[in-house]
């Protein structure tokens, strides 16, 4: 149906090439070079804490997908959304085999509507958004939504 292409470029910036010293910073290239994001490894893996890491990007993708699904559903229901904010968090844990993975992601969206929306309708839209988010449908990470 659709393909999504992302470029990745990394070049050694430090000598020698050794686990303790090689640079983890790299560029992610989106939309044929129109958007470049400088990323790194997580600080626990000698990355630059000021840059997004793959774990951050996975959490961001889940949060963004949920929001976009939510907005589409709200628009179809003729419920005008004024703002949407999320403070998502992903938890890295060890699985049963002792391997690290992002086991859980909690989305904490806060939505403001132009007119009041009851709690049941809000919960229904979040449920539908979660069900239709193809990023959430693509991962085995447990994704929960805790609206604020």
């Amino acid at each position: 149906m659709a393909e999504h292409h992302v470029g990745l470029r990394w070049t050694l910036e430090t000598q020698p090439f050794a686990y303790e010293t090689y640079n983890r910073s790299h560029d992610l290239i989106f939309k044929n070079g129109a958007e470049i994001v400088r990323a790194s490894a997580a600080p626990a893996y000698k990355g630059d804490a000021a840059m997004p890491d793959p774990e951050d990007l996975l959490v961001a993708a889940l949060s963004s997908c949920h929001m976009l699904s939510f907005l589409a559903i709200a628009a179809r229901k003729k419920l005008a959304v004024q703002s949407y904010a999320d403070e998502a968090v992903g938890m890295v844990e060890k699985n049963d085999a002792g391997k690290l993975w992002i086991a859980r992601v909690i989305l904490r969206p806060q939505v403001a509507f132009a007119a009041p929306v009851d709690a049941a309708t809000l919960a229904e839209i979040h449920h539908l958004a979660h069900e239709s988010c193809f990023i959430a449908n693509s991962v085995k990470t447990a994704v929960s939504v805790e609206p604020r």
Side-chain angles (χ1 to χ4, degrees):
M1 289 182 66
E3 292 182 0
H4 298 271
H5 298 261
V6 176
L8 183 143
R9 304 289 181 270
W10 174 88
T11 303
L12 182 64
E13 296 172 356
T14 55
Q15 293 293 336
F17 178 75
Y19 182 81
E20 293 298 322
T21 59
Y22 74 84
N23 55 293
R24 273 65 171 177
S25 300
H26 55 279
D27 292 324
L28 300 171
I29 301 102
F30 299 93
K31 308 301 179 197
N32 296 316
E35 296 289 329
I36 298 176
V37 173
R38 189 84 171 142
S40 188
Y45 305 102
K46 304 190 179 303
D48 187 335
M51 295 181 194
D53 57 54
E55 298 88 338
D56 294 331
L57 295 170
L58 177 60
V59 173
L62 287 162
S63 176
S64 178
C65 185
H66 184 87
M67 179 201 69
L68 293 168
S69 298
F70 184 96
L71 295 175
I73 293 163
R76 287 186 184 117
K77 289 182 171 289
K78 308 269 192 256
L79 299 171
V81 177
Q82 296 297 107
S83 65
Y84 184 109
D86 190 5
E87 295 295 330
V89 60
M91 281 69 87
V92 175
E93 300 173 1
K94 285 189 177 182
N95 66 14
D96 292 340
K99 295 186 181 272
L100 292 173
W101 69 307
I102 297 179
R104 297 177 289 131
V105 171
I106 301 171
L107 306 179
R108 294 189 174 110
Q110 186 168 3
V111 184
F113 292 89
V117 172
D118 63 82
T121 299
L122 181 63
E124 176 194 15
I125 297 171
H126 277 301
H127 174 75
L128 293 171
H130 180 68
E131 291 293 313
S132 64
C133 173
F134 54 86
I135 303 297
N137 291 331
S138 300
V139 299
K140 61 183 180 179
T141 300
V143 180
S144 61
V145 181
E146 299 175 359
R148 292 179 172 206

